Amino acid sequence: MGVFTGKIEKLLHKKLLLFVSLRLIGAATGLVLISFQYNQPLQLKYFFHHFPSLLIFVYLIDFGYSELITKTNDSISIGFVKRLFYALAAIITIQLLAFNVFPQVESSIKWLLVAALFIPFQAFFDVCYRVMLRSGFALHYLVYQLMSPVLMLIALILFAKYMDVSRLYIPFIAITVGIQIAFVLVVFKIQPSLFRLQGGTNNFSSSHNMFIPFILKITPLLIYELASDIYTHYFQVDTGSGFELIRSAYFMVGILLLLLYAKDDRMTNMIKKNFIMVFLSLAAASFLITTLITNVKIVLKNGFHVNSIQLFSFQMTDIVFWLVTTLLCSFYLFRYSAWVSSPKKVMTNE
């Protein structure tokens, strides 16, 4: 027992505990925001639900660049910034064509087309976050993630009170970009040299070199999208908590990835060597988060009543998707931890 306790104490050092605690508090503050979004009118609910799908285009523009930034400790290249401007011009062109050629589409689709403007900005922010995380600003980033959903929720509630709720997507997009701009500017004020640009393409000379980081970048979102689409469309499940379980597993992957981005050696070694522990941790955390989301939604809708609190509401289909999704996410973390800690020369063409 003493040996086991010693190992736990060695693993959970102060930095790791602080990192995880802040991230979990940030996750908890996001539960109410998610519940607020799910209780909106149907078209707005569809918009909020599919908004994360726009990340697939963020990842296409990035094409694994942020992963190489994490692995190689390089600075941001001018070539990458130019690519973002080209992407923004292309998105505006596509929007103009779509709105003129297909004027009669569902409101949620129109709103998503407008929201596409955030894609190049998000690609830039993602790279900035990787630079911060491996440069001693990991805790700053966690404080930002702690405050972001709180500020978002307050703003959306205020806007919903004083404007037509069908236009709530406009402040949502503006706040999503605005909060991140403010955070990056704060860090830039503290350490401007962190965001210095370097000439050249910065590891973009070989498409072969970019394939593995691109796959690593996009895999969690693919798992999430495939699992949620199969669950909702093929099985046509209208009750239960399967989708929340899938989303929670995806969310927990993000928490552990932050520790890998910050290059926490103990967390990297734990994920590389303890696949079963990672799987059990993801499963337990996703169950807990799903239970919290379910009860927050009940409280927001019906008020707080002890007899209305639910421990869980799962069907057999929910359990199967929960286990399969968690297994895939755990294997992904296992492979990513091995890649990001491998020697730098493996991924460069010097």
Side-chain angles (χ1 to χ4, degrees):
M1 184 65 182
V3 175
F4 178 78
T5 304
K7 288 183 178 180
I8 294 297
E9 290 176 351
K10 185 178 180 181
L11 175 64
L12 299 179
H13 55 102
K14 292 182 179 179
K15 177 185 174 183
L16 179 57
L17 277 176
L18 180 60
F19 202 99
V20 173
S21 298
L22 282 174
R23 189 65 185 93
L24 289 177
I25 293 172
T29 60
L31 294 177
V32 179
L33 177 60
I34 292 172
S35 300
F36 172 84
Q37 294 173 359
Y38 273 112
N39 281 284
Q40 296 307 307
L42 187 61
Q43 287 295 314
L44 196 58
K45 180 179 178 180
Y46 284 160
F47 168 76
F48 286 132
H49 172 67
H50 290 292
F51 183 80
S53 301
L54 293 178
L55 289 176
I56 192 74
F57 299 103
V58 175
Y59 296 166
L60 285 172
I61 294 174
D62 180 290
F63 206 75
Y65 182 74
S66 57
E67 303 300 336
L68 284 185
I69 287 288
T70 300
K71 182 179 178 65
T72 63
N73 291 341
D74 287 329
S75 56
I76 303 172
S77 73
I78 294 176
F80 177 69
V81 175
K82 289 181 179 178
R83 186 135 63 106
L84 298 180
F85 281 110
Y86 296 148
L88 181 60
I91 289 170
I92 293 174
T93 301
I94 292 172
Q95 287 175 328
L96 292 174
L97 290 173
F99 284 127
N100 283 280
V101 177
F102 305 103
Q104 302 299 325
V105 295
E106 292 185 354
S107 298
S108 60
I109 302 299
K110 290 182 178 179
W111 301 339
L112 287 170
L113 281 171
V114 174
L117 286 173
F118 105 108
I119 290 172
F121 295 96
Q122 191 63 53
F124 178 73
F125 294 144
D126 284 354
V127 172
C128 289
Y129 298 153
R130 300 300 183 89
V131 173
M132 295 176 197
L133 285 166
R134 50 83 169 163
S135 302
F137 283 85
L139 293 181
H140 293 73
Y141 180 72
L142 287 176
V143 171
Y144 149 73
Q145 286 210 321
L146 172 64
M147 295 303 300
S148 179
V150 176
L151 296 174
M152 178 73 74
L153 178 63
I154 293 173
L156 289 179
I157 290 176
L158 291 176
F159 277 107
K161 186 176 180 180
Y162 295 107
M163 69 181 293
D164 184 353
V165 72
S166 66
R167 296 186 176 274
L168 201 59
Y169 72 96
I170 297 176
F172 174 79
I173 298 169
I175 296 164
T176 299
V177 176
I179 291 175
Q180 296 184 86
I181 290 176
F183 171 62
V184 173
L185 286 178
V186 168
V187 178
F188 177 78
K189 184 74 173 178
I190 297 173
Q191 191 173 333
S193 61
L194 202 64
F195 302 103
R196 68 183 185 277
L197 300 179
Q198 71 173 32
T201 56
N202 190 243
N203 281 328
F204 273 100
S205 58
S206 170
S207 60
H208 173 73
N209 278 354
M210 296 307 302
F211 180 71
I212 293 178
F214 171 66
I215 293 300
L216 290 169
K217 176 80 174 178
I218 205 171
T219 296
L221 186 62
L222 288 178
I223 293 173
Y224 169 75
E225 286 294 334
L226 287 173
S228 59
D229 286 346
I230 293 172
Y231 178 82
T232 55
H233 295 298
Y234 286 89
F235 287 87
Q236 298 180 344
V237 180
D238 297 321
T239 59
S241 303
F243 181 73
E244 283 80 2
L245 284 169
I246 293 169
R247 186 170 185 174
S248 298
Y250 171 69
F251 186 75
M252 284 304 301
V253 170
I255 293 178
L256 295 180
L257 280 176
L258 282 177
L259 291 163
L260 296 178
Y261 297 157
K263 297 192 173 180
D264 186 290
D265 292 336
R266 297 189 186 189
M267 179 55 68
T268 302
N269 291 332
M270 186 199 79
I271 293 176
K272 285 197 301 184
K273 298 177 181 178
N274 295 277
F275 176 82
I276 299 299
M277 181 184 293
V278 174
F279 171 75
L280 294 176
S281 299
L282 281 181
S286 60
F287 174 84
L288 176 60
I289 292 173
T290 298
T291 302
L292 289 173
I293 291 175
T294 300
N295 286 288
V296 168
K297 290 166 67 174
I298 292 173
V299 170
L300 287 177
K301 186 175 182 180
N302 303 319
F304 181 78
H305 304 286
V306 176
N307 59 354
S308 66
I309 300 300
Q310 297 181 9
L311 179 60
F312 57 84
S313 178
F314 301 150
Q315 300 178 8
M316 182 57 65
T317 304
D318 301 338
I319 300 297
V320 171
F321 272 83
W322 174 35
L323 294 176
V324 172
T325 303
T326 304
L327 185 65
L328 291 174
C329 290
S330 301
F331 182 73
Y332 166 77
L333 287 168
F334 172 74
R335 296 299 302 165
Y336 185 91
S337 62
W339 176 81
V340 79
S341 60
S342 62
K344 177 181 176 179
K345 63 181 181 180
V346 172
M347 291 302 299
T348 59
N349 246 2
E350 300 176 345

